[in-house]
Amino acid sequence: MNKRLLSLFLCGVVATNACAPVDDAPEDLGSVEQDIVNGTVLSDAVAARYGLVRVSSSGGLCSGVLYKNAWVLTAAHCFGFAQPTGPVLVDHGGTRYTAAQVRILSNADLALVRLQTPITLNGSATGYTMPMYQGTLPSLMGAGLYCFGYGTSSFAPGGGAVIDGQARWAYMTVSGYWTGGPFYSFTPNAQGQIQGGGDSGGPCFAYQNGRMALAGIARNGGRYCANLPAGQQCDDNAVTSIGWHDQTYVPAFAATLDFQSGGLPRFP
């Protein structure tokens, strides 16, 4: 993956289903936000409270989320749908961890990264599992989700991603879904704000019963380039906008992920 990655852009559309609107966001999201171009920056500490991690490998930079104390969930395409040949590093809350293993679920564009040293949460290095969205895929249609990731803050004049490596969050409304994936999608709002490729592997949460519940992992998007010379690809160096972005619907794979990460399958 090209290291010039796209970003997570802030979407201000208010949901009518499943999630609290931005005004009712968890307190730390509402209190630490700092408006920037197309997004809202988070400190490392706040990003860590939502399980956001940065995954670095020879394929580039992706986002991810802490799934269990010793396991991170990200996108399989961040590793080219294959075992990485070099080291994989995971940053969480300002601390860097080294991966011991990567397990690829290529049919779902998901990957589990096992850490050499588990992350301690609430004083324990065991016992944590990310809460999962309790609802059907169709119930997400028109819902607002809280999405997190690392990426760029804007596009350069003439195209190309401007990268600052900051954690960001966005509130976006689901515009479509595909049960055959299963995936769901976002499209840009009136200001053209949309999730982008730099957030590959980044999580989206539904705000359910007073807590964030994992709904999806960023998968891919449709990119546009202006005045692209013949024969040149619309890659991260030339992209000028994002037309859509979709996510893998993670609850459909919860039992497989639990089994692959060394536990018993999860049942409703």
Side-chain angles (χ1 to χ4, degrees):
M1 177 181 297
N2 193 303
K3 293 186 178 181
R4 291 182 60 81
L5 299 172
L6 306 179
S7 78
L8 180 67
F9 301 111
L10 180 64
C11 177
V13 179
V14 175
T16 58
N17 186 29
C19 298
V22 173
D23 289 345
D24 295 330
E27 182 177 353
D28 51 1
L29 287 185
S31 61
V32 304
E33 63 182 354
Q34 174 189 358
D35 289 339
I36 60 169
V37 177
N38 288 329
T40 301
V41 162
L42 291 175
S43 68
D44 284 342
V46 173
R49 285 203 288 274
Y50 290 92
L52 182 65
V53 302
R54 183 165 42 207
V55 181
S56 305
S57 70
S58 57
L61 172 68
C62 276
S63 302
V65 66
L66 186 63
Y67 187 69
K68 295 182 178 180
N69 295 83
W71 293 89
V72 160
L73 183 61
T74 187
H77 76 259
C78 294
F79 307 108
F81 296 98
Q83 286 296 317
T85 56
V88 176
L89 303 174
V90 172
D91 294 292
H92 175 268
T95 301
R96 174 159 288 183
Y97 299 82
T98 301
Q101 182 185 28
V102 176
R103 294 185 174 180
I104 304 293
L105 284 70
S106 59
N107 64 318
D109 197 357
L110 296 174
L112 281 164
V113 178
R114 181 168 65 86
L115 306 177
Q116 289 184 359
T117 304
I119 295 176
T120 298
L121 298 173
N122 299 320
S124 176
T126 62
Y128 173 79
T129 299
M130 171 64 67
M132 198 69 65
Y133 174 64
Q134 299 297 307
T136 65
L137 176 58
S139 72
L140 285 179
M141 183 65 187
L145 299 180
Y146 294 89
C147 300
F148 295 75
Y150 290 92
T152 66
S153 60
S154 63
F155 294 115
V162 178
I163 301 174
D164 60 10
Q166 292 285 338
R168 289 184 172 79
W169 75 277
Y171 186 74
M172 298 187 291
T173 300
V174 176
S175 59
Y177 66 92
W178 176 37
T179 57
F183 310 122
Y184 60 84
S185 294
F186 304 108
T187 54
N189 65 7
Q191 289 74 42
Q193 298 168 320
I194 183 67
Q195 193 175 25
D199 300 301
S200 291
C204 280
F205 300 96
Y207 192 53
Q208 278 191 321
N209 302 318
R211 67 177 185 177
M212 293 293 201
L214 183 64
I217 289 291
R219 182 173 172 265
N220 66 356
R223 300 181 292 187
Y224 296 101
C225 292
N227 302 318
L228 193 66
Q232 181 178 337
Q233 292 186 342
C234 184
D235 61 14
D236 296 324
N237 293 314
V239 67
T240 55
S241 64
I242 305 294
W244 54 268
H245 202 280
D246 66 19
Q247 292 216 338
T248 298
Y249 179 64
V250 174
F253 303 96
T256 299
L257 292 171
D258 280 346
F259 180 76
Q260 290 289 330
S261 57
L264 294 174
R266 187 186 314 190
F267 297 99

